[in-house]
Amino acid sequence: MSDSSQALRQNFQQAGQGHVFDAWDSLAERARRRLVRQLEQVDLAQLAAMRAAITAVAGPVPRKLSPAPAFAMADESFPYLLHDAARAVVPVGDRALRRGEVAVILVAGGQGTRLGFDGPKGCYPILPLSGMTLFEVFARKLLRAGREYGRTPPLYVMVGNHNEQATRAFFEEHRCFGLNPADVKFFAQGELPALDDNGRLVMAGPDALWTAPDGHGGVIAAMHSKGMLADMRARGVRYASYVQVDNLQIPVVDAAFLGLHISEGAEVSLKVVRKTDPAEKVGIYCLDDGVPSIVEYTEFTPADSNLRGQDGRLAFWQGNMAVHVFGLEFLQRLADTSTQLPLHAARKKVNDAEAWKFERFVFDTIPLANRVVCMEVPREEQFLPLKNPDGPFGPEGVRAACQQYWKKALKLARPDLAEPPVIEVDPALCENARELATAIQGRKVDTSGPLRLEPQA
Ligand code: UTP
């Protein structure tokens, strides 16, 4: 054993993790090198935080929760017309977009375990007529933004080690779906090991630790270490619009949301949807001992979950959608100060046995920000995530909800037309019902068969 491997072994032994070298003597030279390379990446100092995260699952700290303020930017009923306050900040967002100060972070590094699709989730064909994939949907939303603002925001796609190659190959095969390849960057997030019930690191085999992506909260460390924050700075980017690859209906950039973030001087902004069922399993934006935070539904007492205000509506209603605007300076500050987001532990199947898996969550940036702004958006317009093999968040459920929305939008835009059997609106055409009327103004539209609405050449 070389001196450096010997030192590594000692470090693991001292940390009570000597078992990771159990098979050393029987390993071939290549396998040994692979194991050492992997173990060198493990931050043993983090073991204490991992154990603390497990303890926190068993006995969460008591919270002092109170509702947090949110901006309601639009009417609550279809077609969700923007309020005056929202219209007033749109020019601010618009200006940032025109100046090229906005980038898009698309996180696509998850394992998509629940959906069970063979390949990156972004390669899932979701639109009903063209079979357009989620990645193309997002690319076409960007093309539309480019048309609208004269500048196409650069796209930063976070991938995981498990899907980086497939994702890059998919974009290459499709020539970045019409985006400029120089404006599409991929970066791989980090990984974290798992612990068994005895606090021992779980092995995937004799020569490998078991590891998994470190959660969407890994985005900040990965953006920093892979040079993406520097790339943004070099391009003059000041604001990052953060979206997740599975939310079909989310705008990649939203001038009202950006405008609100900028004019309120926020460091982090978030979008929420209104929770109406106290049992809905969604993290809630609220104040925890006065600090803006997302608190998991599991940490709410039944009394708090069911608490209603004077208006009869749920007091804790702000369902987290995982959609943000981040100030670049804020992200840089977190990176420069090596601020680690907390670890969250969950019991998961790891190698056919139950073990503790760890992740960081992007919403844990919220309590670290000097100013946070929250904006409520209409659920059916902007929240349609593909998570499961079936049910409302399965492919059929998502397609059905999308159909319902666009059929209503078409009826509003063109009351003269009969309802088509199927409708697909190209994301490069428009993003919501408010825009559809203008987008198809004066067009001859045939609704006697399946209808696909695209931009005209
Ligand atoms: P989810 O938490 O829903 O995870 O991610 P998932 O990987 O899509 O699906 P499950 O839980 O394994 O079934 C929400 C978004 O965050 C990204 C996902 O790609 C998705 O866009 N994500 C999640 C990452 O980029 N990295 C991660 O480590 C976890």
Side-chain angles (χ1 to χ4, degrees):
M1 194 177 237
S2 70
D3 285 354
S4 61
S5 305
Q6 189 61 42
L8 192 69
R9 187 174 195 160
Q10 265 170 15
N11 288 344
F12 274 80
Q13 277 167 344
Q14 276 162 14
Q17 304 291 345
H19 68 284
V20 301
F21 282 91
D22 276 356
W24 184 265
D25 292 340
S26 62
L27 294 181
E29 195 48 41
R30 260 186 73 183
R32 286 180 176 178
R33 277 205 300 273
R34 201 167 42 232
L35 179 64
V36 164
R37 258 201 317 275
Q38 201 190 14
L39 294 180
E40 279 170 347
Q41 301 301 315
V42 176
D43 178 5
L44 286 170
Q46 214 166 250
L47 284 169
M50 292 166 111
R51 291 194 200 100
I54 296 174
T55 313
V57 174
V61 284
R63 308 271 199 173
K64 273 167 70 184
L65 305 180
S66 56
F71 288 83
M73 302 293 278
D75 290 349
E76 281 194 40
S77 56
F78 187 83
Y80 311 110
L81 296 178
L82 292 185
H83 292 159
D84 289 348
R87 278 204 299 274
V89 291
V90 164
V92 180
D94 203 282
R95 194 160 55 236
L97 285 157
R98 285 181 195 286
R99 286 180 177 164
E101 293 174 349
V102 182
V104 171
I105 303 175
L106 178 66
V107 294
Q111 293 176 303
T113 328
R114 285 166 290 172
L115 181 63
F117 175 60
D118 184 20
K121 209 191 246 188
C123 301
Y124 195 94
I126 191 66
L127 293 194
L129 296 173
S130 62
M132 192 184 289
T133 61
L134 281 165
F135 277 137
E136 185 166 6
V137 164
F138 280 93
R140 293 190 68 76
K141 288 176 192 226
L142 274 161
L143 291 175
R144 183 182 158 277
R147 233 182 30 236
E148 174 110 7
Y149 303 107
R151 297 283 283 264
T152 307
L155 174 65
Y156 296 82
V157 185
M158 183 162 87
V159 291
N161 290 337
H162 63 104
N163 66 12
E164 176 167 8
Q165 267 191 336
T167 305
R168 284 180 186 269
F170 193 69
F171 273 77
E172 257 167 50
E173 186 190 331
H174 295 279
R175 295 164 189 250
C176 284
F177 307 102
L179 295 170
N180 179 353
D183 295 337
V184 182
K185 304 272 176 191
F186 300 90
F187 63 103
Q189 65 181 103
E191 304 229 325
L192 284 169
L195 292 182
D196 68 16
D197 283 337
N198 299 315
R200 285 157 42 109
L201 291 164
V202 178
M203 300 297 284
D207 62 347
L209 266 186
W210 189 95
T211 60
D214 59 357
H216 36 60
V219 67
I220 296 153
M223 296 260 317
H224 179 55
S225 66
K226 302 289 163 73
M228 299 297 138
L229 290 182
D231 190 84
M232 283 189 182
R233 238 189 356 262
R235 288 170 185 262
V237 167
R238 298 178 64 197
Y239 312 101
S241 170
Y242 168 100
V243 291
Q244 304 194 331
V245 75
D246 53 18
N247 189 1
L248 175 66
Q249 287 286 80
I250 194 70
V252 275
V253 289
D254 177 336
F257 188 38
L258 282 159
L260 184 69
H261 174 94
I262 297 167
S263 51
E264 290 287 321
E267 291 191 315
V268 178
S269 296
L270 74 155
K271 284 185 174 178
V272 294
V273 286
R274 186 171 283 277
K275 174 176 171 176
T276 51
D277 172 4
E280 188 186 351
K281 296 178 174 175
V282 63
I284 295 292
Y285 175 65
C286 57
L287 302 180
D288 181 8
D289 207 6
V291 179
S293 310
I294 300 289
V295 176
E296 294 285 15
Y297 66 94
T298 46
E299 295 197 38
F300 275 82
T301 60
D304 274 346
S305 289
N306 287 287
L307 188 68
R308 289 183 189 271
Q310 280 181 340
D311 58 359
R313 307 175 96 177
L314 292 177
F316 294 100
W317 60 269
Q318 299 169 22
N320 179 31
M321 294 169 68
V323 177
H324 299 285
V325 170
F326 293 112
L328 190 62
E329 276 179 30
F330 171 70
L331 296 181
Q332 191 65 58
R333 187 173 82 227
L334 295 188
D336 289 345
T337 51
S338 303
T339 305
Q340 293 269 33
L341 299 183
L343 290 173
H344 294 257
R347 251 178 117 64
K348 292 273 165 75
K349 239 204 167 78
V350 172
N351 277 356
D352 297 331
E354 293 258 305
W356 292 100
K357 229 186 115 178
F358 302 90
E359 280 188 302
R360 301 183 200 280
F361 295 153
V362 71
F363 58 70
D364 282 322
T365 49
I366 291 174
L368 303 174
N370 289 326
R371 174 131 176 84
V372 179
V373 166
C374 174
M375 171 171 151
E376 178 190 1
V377 297
R379 186 183 283 256
E380 74 163 329
E381 188 180 286
Q382 298 201 16
F383 189 55
L384 204 45
L386 177 65
K387 298 281 185 196
N388 302 323
D390 41 39
F393 297 134
E396 289 321 311
V398 164
R399 285 191 194 110
C402 204
Q403 283 296 299
Q404 203 184 5
Y405 179 78
W406 286 116
K407 282 180 177 175
K408 268 198 303 190
L410 183 68
K411 189 170 279 172
L412 181 86
R414 296 287 291 273
D416 53 310
L417 297 175
E419 185 175 291
V422 186
I423 180 169
E424 176 176 317
V425 177
D426 185 336
L429 178 72
C430 68
E431 279 188 318
N432 58 44
R434 294 186 299 278
E435 295 166 359
L436 186 68
T438 333
I440 60 168
Q441 203 168 29
R443 261 202 218 182
K444 198 171 165 327
V445 176
D446 179 5
T447 57
S448 60
L451 175 66
R452 181 151 197 271
L453 293 168
E454 300 168 87
Q456 279 175 326

